[in-house]
Amino acid sequence: MAESDVKVLGSWPSPFVLRARIALHLKSVNYEYIEENLLESKSELLLKSNPVYKKVPVLIHGDKPICESLIIVQYIDEVWSSAPSILPSDAYERANSRFWAAYVDDKWFPALRGVLVAESEDAKKATIAQVEEGLVLLEEEFRKLSKGKAFFDGDNIGYLDITIGCFLVWIEVIEKFSEIKLLNETKTPCLLEWADSFSSHAAVKDVLPEADKLAEFSVKLRAKFLKARATSK
Amino acid sequence: MDENDVKVKVLGSWSSPFVMRAMIALNIKSVNYEYLEERLWEGKSELLLKSNPVHKKIPVLIHGDKPICESLVIVQYIDEVWSSTPSILPSDPHERATDRFWAAYLDEKWFPSMRTIAIAQGEDARKAAIAQLEEGLVLLEEAFGKCSKGKPFFGGDQIGYLDIAFGCFLGWLRVTEKMSVINLLGEAKTPALLKWAHRFCSDAYVKDVMPETEKLAGFGKMIMAKLRGAAPPKS
């Protein structure tokens, strides 16, 4: 299928966009990547393709837009079904992967984002504790699922690897910003090792943002967020 | 092993729309299950805490000795395990993505607005929450037109994933209409959804698990009183 048949509307700092791109790389699908500048106004194409949320990523397949990163990943897995599977084949393992993906998006990521935009030392400490608690749960889950292999999914990158791995550079930025090691030898030794394996994987390494560039961006993002919070009070 | 030989339990609460989702899905698949009522205001059972240690919430589906949590994850699991009987999700990947998109929208944006109405402080906050709910219903009316393609349900001739994901909220929707004295589903803005709601509630797979509006309204008043009188909850 021609490259122009598959497009990804994205933005380089977004971990959610990474999910879509990694999934497409795993399936060896060629696509056109269109950059949206999140700090400026949104393009016509984005507003037309995702009228409900107006957010990236959006996958445009032919003329059909698909929105929400986890929905996009499942769509990619189902459409390009002959290449390596992203979701496990067993129904219970699939349910477990979906459960933890929902946990990451509904509970863990908001805490991670909370560290970046926390206004007081106390608020920052509280959100860091939440992030660390979540990482301990994920470390435990990793041990259960990987069964000694490199990834959550075993020998190959799968749904849960993609869902969590997309946040690794953000974790690095927040570690620098808060002067604390979120992934460490003491509490999360397996995840620490997994982070290296994930980041250096062929389907991943070329799309991960550079930590310095992301750190610079995070300062602007924090300022924008705090300003919006101040004006809405 | 025949899937029907393995015991199926549902940990739930009669008032929970999320629990309804699991039960409707099991009904569609003609799966026998044991229903265990959690009395949420009296403290959570050992079985619940053991089966869902992360969230400690219902519904939980227990299939044999395996717990499955999160209502939409449960519905997809049921569809995949009991795969020979009527499908709940559509087979086309784009239609599946569309169903999943609207189910996520309902859970992340739409239903939270409904809860906000109940606890909103002040008339402005209440009106804003009602407006959000109404906006969402207009979007869903449009989605219904596209998904149903002239048939009775989002899923076509039969109840499907999005019917289940959305229809489970109809009891609470009616309670909200009653308590706030407003019409959320109406001839003017949501004529198709109005008809769909009747069909959904009277469907064979749904009617025995849909709570009565009166009973739900009484329960709603009790919760509101507790929420207003209680100390701010720990997050």
Side-chain angles (χ1 to χ4, degrees), chain B residues 60-122:
Chain B
V60 181
L61 179 79
I62 306 179
H63 187 199
D65 56 353
K66 294 182 284 203
I68 298 100
C69 309
E70 296 293 286
S71 63
L72 295 177
V73 176
I74 291 172
V75 172
Q76 290 179 86
Y77 176 81
I78 291 169
D79 198 29
E80 291 165 13
V81 169
W82 288 275
S83 54
S84 56
T85 36
S87 267
I88 294 174
L89 268 110
S91 49
D92 174 74
H94 189 252
E95 286 176 20
R96 291 158 74 90
T98 303
D99 276 11
R100 285 172 173 146
F101 174 86
W102 287 112
Y105 170 80
L106 283 158
D107 282 5
E108 287 158 31
K109 294 266 172 303
W110 190 79
F111 185 61
S113 309
M114 196 187 291
R115 281 148 116 218
T116 305
I117 295 178
I119 54 170
Q121 307 275 26

Side-chain angles (χ1 to χ4, degrees), chain A residues 17 54 56 166:
Chain A
V17 170
K54 307 174 179 56
V56 292
C166 66

Side-chain angles (χ1 to χ4, degrees), chain B residues 122-137:
Chain B
E123 204 37 44
D124 282 347
R126 215 181 69 94
K127 279 196 175 139
I130 290 174
Q132 271 193 304
L133 218 57
E134 287 175 324
E135 256 176 61
L137 286 169

Side-chain angles (χ1 to χ4, degrees), chain A residues 107-120 122-128 130-131 174 177 222 225-226 229:
Chain A
K107 295 264 169 325
W108 186 77
F109 170 69
L112 190 71
R113 186 183 51 203
V115 179
L116 187 69
V117 298
E119 286 180 80
S120 68
D122 282 344
K124 201 162 135 187
K125 277 196 180 136
T127 44
I128 287 176
Q130 280 185 305
V131 171
I174 286 171
F177 175 73
R222 178 181 154 85
F225 184 88
L226 293 178
R229 196 190 255 169

Side-chain angles (χ1 to χ4, degrees), chain A residues 82-97:
Chain A
S82 57
S85 265
I86 294 176
L87 269 110
S89 48
D90 174 74
Y92 181 70
E93 286 174 22
R94 259 208 299 285
N96 192 51
S97 291

